[in-house]
Amino acid sequence: MVIYFSKINLESIHLLEMYKKEELLVEMKKSIVSFLKNGTVYEVEKIFIDENGEKHTYTTKYRISIGIKKGDYISGYIYKSAVIYYKTLNEVTLKPESHFQNTIEDVRFYYDVNKEIVGFHTRNRFGYQEFNYAFREILNMCMHQNGSPLKFGVYLYNEGLEIEEIASALKSINNIKKLEFRYKLPNPADDYMLDELEDGLTDVAKALENANANSMSVIFDSDGNIGLNIESTEIQNNIGRIGKLTKGIDSKSAIKNGYAYVKATGKDGKIYTTEEKKPIRREIDDDSEDGFFLACRDTILSIFTPR
């Protein structure tokens, strides 16, 4: 079994208040434990178009089943109920026929409330990006149902990247037709971050504060044959911003925590994203509930310990 890890980030201007009042950060974490409710279902409607051009509407459901809920962690499953379309050959007409089948996929998770990290495995039809999507929507649904204005994002946790690595990767992509930078207010998940922020925000985070915004995106588009000029001053300035979110957060920390994100799309349609580079994974042979629980807990404690 392979275990992945994702970062849970508060995406709200309420972060600016939490920088100054640590008790608000504590209350935010308590609200997650309190509001995340067993049995919550998030539904999304999807459309399937068959070979005859006919549209079929079906609903995919994500249900959270909480086994253990403590003040510092939550563990359980997310169940995905979906419809799979497939074809068989009609032996009489010798033509393919479309069919559908209801399926259920289960993914186990362990959420460390204090570190804001969730560990989980995947299934063939329930990958890590879909898990992040489902966990985010269920969490935000629970917050909304309890009258909370807080909203969260879920991002695959990785080893992080230096600015030089990002710049080099972008230069290696031929004919980039679209380049997106996204910057977010960092979550002060650890005490050392709160200490760094006591003197006030700097650089990008300060600009977000002045704009009363919790995130900012910069997008470059090109419809030419040559593609974007990565060496241009403006693009280089945006690459540099990744390492200047605020005090105590370098480019590696910004990328691995989901505070900064870069996505490049080449003319050939290939996509490069910083989120999916160097994902932190742990392989285990013991896939029992206890084995999974201990692997998640120990990995989070060893790798995500505050510096």
Side-chain angles (χ1 to χ4, degrees), residues 5 24-25 71 96 117 125 136 187 190 203 215 221 224 233 278:
F5 299 88
L24 294 178
L25 177 63
I117 297 288
R125 290 188 291 270
R136 179 194 72 201
N187 281 233
D190 300 311
D203 300 305
S215 67
D221 272 309
T233 301
K278 303 181 182 179

Side-chain angles (χ1 to χ4, degrees), residues 53-109:
E54 296 182 11
K55 293 184 178 181
H56 304 269
T57 302
Y58 64 98
T59 301
T60 297
K61 298 181 180 180
Y62 303 97
R63 178 189 298 272
I64 189 169
S65 175
I66 298 175
I68 302 176
K69 181 190 284 190
K70 301 287 186 179
D72 56 348
Y73 76 88
I74 302 171
S75 65
Y77 289 81
I78 290 185
Y79 295 99
K80 172 189 173 183
S81 300
V83 175
I84 295 178
Y85 283 87
Y86 63 96
K87 295 180 181 180
T88 60
L89 183 66
N90 186 309
E91 297 295 341
V92 177
T93 63
L94 298 180
K95 293 182 178 180
E97 295 180 342
S98 296
H99 306 272
F100 69 90
Q101 178 180 344
N102 294 317
T103 64
I104 293 181
E105 302 284 350
D106 63 312
V107 166
R108 199 179 302 161
F109 72 88

Side-chain angles (χ1 to χ4, degrees), residues 221-240:
D221 272 309
S222 173
D223 59 0
N225 293 325
I226 299 177
L228 294 168
N229 178 14
I230 302 301
E231 298 290 353
S232 69
T233 301
E234 194 60 33
I235 289 180
Q236 287 298 313
N237 286 342
N238 276 280
I239 295 175

